Amino acid sequence: MSGHETITIPVSGMTCAACQARVQRALAKAPGVESASVNLMTNTATVDYDDTVTTPETLVGQIRATGYGAELPAEDRTAIENQLALDDEREREFATLRARALFAFVVGGLSMFAPLLFGVPMMAVAGSAPASWWVLLLATVVVMGWAGRDFYVMAWTAARHGSANMNTLVAVGTGAAFLFSVVATIAPGALVRAGVMPQIYYEAVTLIIAFVLAGRALEARAKRQTSRAIRKLIDLQPARARIIRDGQEVEVEVRAVRPGDTVVVRPGERIAIDGEVVSGESAVDESMLTGESMPVTKRTGDRVFGGTVNRTGAFHARATTLGEGSALARIVRLMREAQASRAPIQNLADRVSAVFVPTVMAIALATLVVWVLVGGRAHLGQAIAAAVSVLIIACPCAMGLAVPTAVMVATGKGAELGLLIKGGEALERAGHVDTVVLDKTGTVTTGRPVVTDVVPAPGVDQRMLIAIAASAERMSEHPIAQAIVARAAEAGVVAPTVNGFASATGRGVRAVIDGDAVVVGSERLAKESGIDVRVVDEASRRLFAEGKTVVFVSRREVLLGVIAVADAIRQSSPEAVRRMRDAGIDVVMLTGDNADTAASIARQAGIQNVQANLLPEAKTGEVARRQNAGKVVAMVGDGINDAPALAQADVGIAMGTGTDIAIEAGDMTLMRADLGGVADAIALSKRTMQTMRENLFWAFIYNVIGIPLAAGVLYPRFGLLLNPVLASAAMALSSVSVVTNSLRLRGWKP
């Protein structure tokens, strides 16, 4: 029996798009692998595989066979611990690269200005090399052996495995310039006799290494910035919590809290755990989870989440979900998985990268040959310089960073807005959405009944009407009864004592209040009780037409008035629908509710296309029908019955207030109950896709322009030849510019 599994494997040694493409091809061809996604930014490989055919150990071996390092992920670490370890690794990487780059710059700078400072000639005189050349040779060996060591080790490893990558280009380029300089230093006379001018390029070798290292250091620094959103979330988790043990309040580390422990939360503190309020009341700022700035009132029985801020009162909460199962850890895990995923547009860069390095090496060789054939052996030094420039300027770093940097920043930005995006593919598809299908209950509406209208009969006080209804309904657990009781509490109405209570199933309740018979329920129940309802006939007909549930309230067989209850529309829904329609998106509402109620909600939300009385399979069919008509459909829902349609849609967007099944079926999750998040998601996707296209354009156009310039196409007419040092600086700048362009997404606003 086939078993589908997914594993994310840390990969070391990848430095460019060619590395990424090689590892991915190797994994994709491995037996039992269903799909593989290799990410240069996170240095990970996410593999979907059949565990009856292959094992994680085999997959690790497959990666190592390509010449790159791989280890099985630590099973005992949570997503938060994994992210902290990655951040520490990036910090060490940045520090190391910065130190090596600074050393190489110092040596390279001294080498470059040696002729001015010490009178060092850059060409041999009378067939012998000056003593200072030997000093420069020694300094260059130190730079290559320490600061640039990884280039040569990784290039050799790639060569042993029959591949080439960015390190190959740097190693071959600097190696060729170094070897020519060594020959010019050791045997300048032999070069003179062969008709070749003895020249040294030690400063070029050291500065090329310096610029490439500087580029990598800036990339490492930028990688830290792309995961800033995750780190901000992690930093919200308190390290310690106060709990009640044996009747005493004690402070312990969060990891020592156990399910069932009672946690004390004071005003102004961050809540340490996920739990349930058992006593007390407070307003809690949940913006770190939902993006919603307004605090949420928490009472007994309400859920609270670790990392959120308690604003006003104090309360006790019973710890429920801890560690990897906490809301904060789940969000971190989802964001890590999303940032390690691939967007389909990345395939373009991968296809180019697969043949890029061999092509560049062929161009460099051709450049060398043409220069020698046209200019003769006297121009061998210039020929080598041109070939080295081609190798260096063409390093495919920018192509490998163009897409994953944008995905990482966009998913982090989404989290800040209360939007969890599960991967680059969903992020890209959302930008093409032209139809949004909305469920009604819990999506367009709040998903819980509330009192919308209170209409007293002539001469009846409205507060008295609410008080009588709430008293009778207090004994009922029906959602409509709870809505009426909640309205009385909000209005500060004191409900009289109930002496007798009886439920009329499906119709309402009968009660005795202060010795008077009270009936609260449907129109049918009122008429059966001999009550004349004509006094509110006009109002009740209007409320029925609006799709609301109308509750008739009477005392001593006299109608006191009616109370309308409905699943109220979310305040943000009309504005969200307007934003989507203004963006040219067709908005559709599908619901299993009756036509009158659906039409009323649709009118309030500004939705013109609505279909009612639909079973779950019918919703799925409606999504599929639109897809078959060529539409790109996003489905938004919150319930179990929405899960099939969410899975069917091109982009499934689940409300975070909904069921776990709906959230699992969706490609994105709205952490706050606001349809504006759907409009935000589509707008963010479009902006991210624009950034990706800009990155890829500049990465490609840079090489299209840079390689011919480095080869010397302008030399015959203008006498211009790109110095290898400038080529290395331009190469580093191209990678940094791509990352910087992606980081601009952090400032994007809906």
Side-chain angles (χ1 to χ4, degrees):
M1 182 175 178
S2 177
H4 174 85
E5 295 289 342
T6 300
I7 187 173
T8 299
I9 303 171
V11 182
S12 59
M14 295 191 299
T15 55
C16 66
C19 304
Q20 172 186 291
R22 177 170 173 78
V23 175
Q24 183 151 313
R25 286 197 306 273
L27 286 171
K29 293 177 182 178
V33 172
E34 298 165 4
S35 66
S37 172
V38 180
N39 191 295
L40 183 61
M41 283 295 291
T42 58
N43 289 328
T44 57
T46 301
V47 188
D48 294 326
Y49 65 98
D50 184 344
D51 63 2
T52 64
V53 178
T54 190
T55 64
E57 290 77 12
T58 302
L59 297 174
V60 167
Q62 197 77 22
I63 296 172
R64 290 175 178 171
T66 63
Y68 301 95
E71 300 290 340
L72 287 175
E75 295 182 357
D76 58 342
R77 290 202 308 209
T78 66
I80 291 178
E81 291 169 336
N82 281 326
Q83 184 62 40
L84 291 174
L86 177 62
D87 288 345
D88 290 342
E89 181 183 333
R90 285 176 173 169
E91 191 66 44
R92 289 192 299 270
E93 178 187 18
F94 172 64
T96 300
L97 289 170
R98 181 177 58 183
R100 292 181 177 183
L102 286 173
F103 176 75
F105 271 123
V106 170
V107 175
L110 291 175
S111 300
M112 175 173 285
F113 293 105
L116 297 176
L117 298 175
F118 309 110
V120 177
M122 301 310 292
M123 295 186 183
V125 181
S128 62
S132 55
W133 282 20
W134 292 91
V135 175
L136 294 178
L137 168 60
L138 179 62
T140 304
V141 168
V142 174
V143 171
M144 295 174 73
W146 180 67
R149 177 178 181 275
D150 289 347
F151 295 130
Y152 306 102
V153 172
M154 293 180 180
W156 173 246
T157 301
R160 284 175 43 229
H161 290 86
S163 66
N165 53 36
M166 169 190 167
N167 298 296
T168 305
L169 300 182
V170 175
V172 171
T174 56
F178 176 73
L179 289 176
F180 183 82
S181 301
V182 169
V183 173
T185 302
I186 296 175
L191 291 179
V192 172
R193 287 190 295 273
V196 178
M197 182 65 68
Q199 292 176 272
I200 57 173
Y201 294 95
Y202 295 127
E203 86 290 349
V205 172
T206 52
L207 287 175
I208 286 171
I209 291 173
F211 275 115
V212 176
L213 287 172
R216 286 191 179 179
L218 291 173
E219 288 171 19
R221 182 173 179 269
K223 287 178 181 179
R224 293 186 308 171
Q225 292 176 298
T226 57
S227 61
R228 187 180 67 170
I230 296 183
R231 189 57 190 251
K232 283 170 65 178
L233 282 176
I234 293 174
D235 290 342
L236 296 177
Q237 176 71 61
R240 303 183 70 80
R242 277 186 299 274
I243 64 174
I244 304 296
R245 286 260 174 94
D246 300 324
Q248 299 293 320
E249 183 178 312
V250 295
E251 187 173 295
V252 299
E253 291 188 0
V254 168
R255 68 181 66 181
V257 179
R258 298 290 179 261
D261 281 346
T262 298
V263 179
V264 180
V265 184
R266 295 172 180 169
E269 292 183 339
R270 289 198 178 275
I271 301 171
I273 48 83
D274 287 11
E276 182 179 295
V277 178
V278 292
S279 65
E281 180 177 325
S282 184
V284 176
D285 179 358
E286 296 184 337
S287 58
M288 54 78 68
L289 287 176
T290 66
E292 176 57 60
S293 59
M294 292 298 293
V296 180
T297 300
K298 299 291 183 179
R299 300 183 178 91
T300 301
D302 290 339
R303 293 181 66 191
V304 292
F305 303 97
T308 57
V309 181
N310 179 33
R311 289 297 185 194
T312 54
F315 62 88
H316 289 181
R318 183 177 64 253
T320 54
T321 310
L322 303 169
E324 189 69 354
S326 69
L328 188 62
R330 291 202 309 271
I331 290 173
V332 171
R333 185 177 68 253
L334 284 171
M335 289 182 65
R336 282 176 55 85
E337 291 172 354
Q339 293 185 344
S341 67
R342 296 165 51 83
I345 195 173
Q346 177 70 38
N347 295 333
L348 173 62
D350 288 349
R351 287 195 295 270
V352 174
S353 301
V355 297
F356 189 79
V357 172
T359 301
V360 169
M361 295 187 70
I363 293 173
L365 180 60
T367 298
L368 178 69
V369 172
V370 170
W371 267 88
V372 172
L373 290 177
V374 174
R377 284 178 293 180
H379 286 78
L380 180 60
Q382 291 173 310
I384 291 174
V388 169
S389 294
V390 169
L391 291 171
I392 299 302
I393 203 168
C395 287
C397 301
M399 281 189 290
L401 297 171
V403 174
T405 53
V407 170
M408 290 187 73
V409 179
T411 51
K413 185 64 182 180
E416 291 178 9
L417 297 171
L419 174 68
L420 288 185
I421 303 168
K422 293 187 179 179
E425 186 174 355
L427 183 65
E428 181 172 336
R429 286 201 307 266
H432 301 290
V433 165
D434 54 24
T435 303
V436 172
V437 175
L438 304 173
D439 171 51
K440 179 184 76 69
T441 306
T443 303
V444 179
T445 66
T446 61
R448 55 184 176 83
V450 295
V451 172
T452 59
D453 303 85
V454 179
V455 183
V460 177
D461 179 68
Q462 187 182 79
R463 290 175 64 84
M464 189 267 285
L465 170 62
I466 297 173
I468 293 297
S471 294
E473 295 283 23
R474 192 177 299 279
M475 303 292 290
S476 173
E477 294 183 355
H478 194 282
I480 291 177
Q482 293 175 351
I484 293 174
V485 172
R487 177 58 178 270
E490 291 171 6
V493 174
V494 179
T497 304
V498 178
N499 304 120
F501 175 85
S503 174
T505 305
R507 292 172 294 166
V509 300
R510 290 187 173 93
V512 177
I513 300 175
D514 295 334
D516 296 331
V518 172
V519 178
V520 180
S522 65
E523 183 178 23
R524 176 185 171 188
L525 180 62
K527 289 180 177 179
E528 287 178 355
S529 302
I531 298 164
D532 185 358
V533 299
R534 288 177 296 178
V535 67
V536 292
D537 192 60
E538 183 179 343
S540 62
R541 297 284 80 79
R542 173 179 60 82
L543 296 171
F544 278 127
E546 292 175 357
K548 298 175 180 177
T549 299
V550 182
V551 178
F552 291 76
V553 183
S554 64
R555 182 176 62 178
R556 296 198 300 266
E557 298 184 357
V558 176
L559 188 70
L560 300 179
V562 293
I563 298 175
V565 178
D567 180 9
I569 187 172
R570 296 187 190 278
Q571 292 183 354
S572 58
S573 292
E575 173 63 17
V577 170
R578 184 196 62 76
R579 286 179 59 195
M580 287 185 274
R581 292 180 60 184
D582 288 349
I585 296 171
D586 183 26
V587 182
V588 182
M589 188 174 78
L590 305 180
T591 179
D593 212 337
N594 66 74
D596 288 340
T597 301
S600 174
I601 294 297
R603 279 196 304 273
Q604 295 176 60
I607 301 172
Q608 297 175 346
N609 192 343
V610 57
Q611 292 177 261
N613 298 306
L614 296 179
L615 295 174
E617 55 267 29
K619 289 184 182 180
T620 306
E622 284 295 325
V623 171
R625 184 176 66 80
R626 286 170 169 79
Q627 290 174 313
N628 293 335
K631 300 293 185 181
V632 181
V633 182
M635 170 69 192
V636 189
D638 77 320
I640 294 175
N641 62 332
D642 297 321
L646 288 169
Q648 172 67 43
D650 297 288
V651 181
I653 304 177
M655 303 292 284
T657 52
T659 66
D660 290 342
I661 293 176
I663 293 172
E664 286 297 322
D667 300 300
M668 301 182 181
T669 300
L670 302 180
M671 295 304 293
R672 68 179 189 271
D674 182 356
L675 278 181
V678 178
D680 292 347
I682 294 173
L684 176 61
S685 173
K686 291 181 183 293
R687 183 65 186 86
T688 304
M689 288 304 301
Q690 179 183 336
T691 299
M692 290 179 186
R693 285 190 287 266
E694 290 170 354
N695 287 349
L696 287 173
F697 171 79
W698 288 112
F700 287 133
I701 202 69
Y702 161 82
N703 284 300
V704 169
I705 296 173
I707 290 175
L709 286 177
V713 294
L714 297 181
Y715 187 81
R717 184 173 180 84
F718 302 103
L720 297 177
L721 185 63
L722 188 64
N723 186 285
V725 174
L726 294 179
S728 63
M731 185 276 293
L733 183 62
S734 71
S735 298
V736 173
S737 64
V738 163
V739 177
T740 302
N741 189 46
S742 296
L743 287 172
R744 290 171 56 215
L745 284 168
R746 294 190 312 186
W748 177 84
K749 296 180 180 179

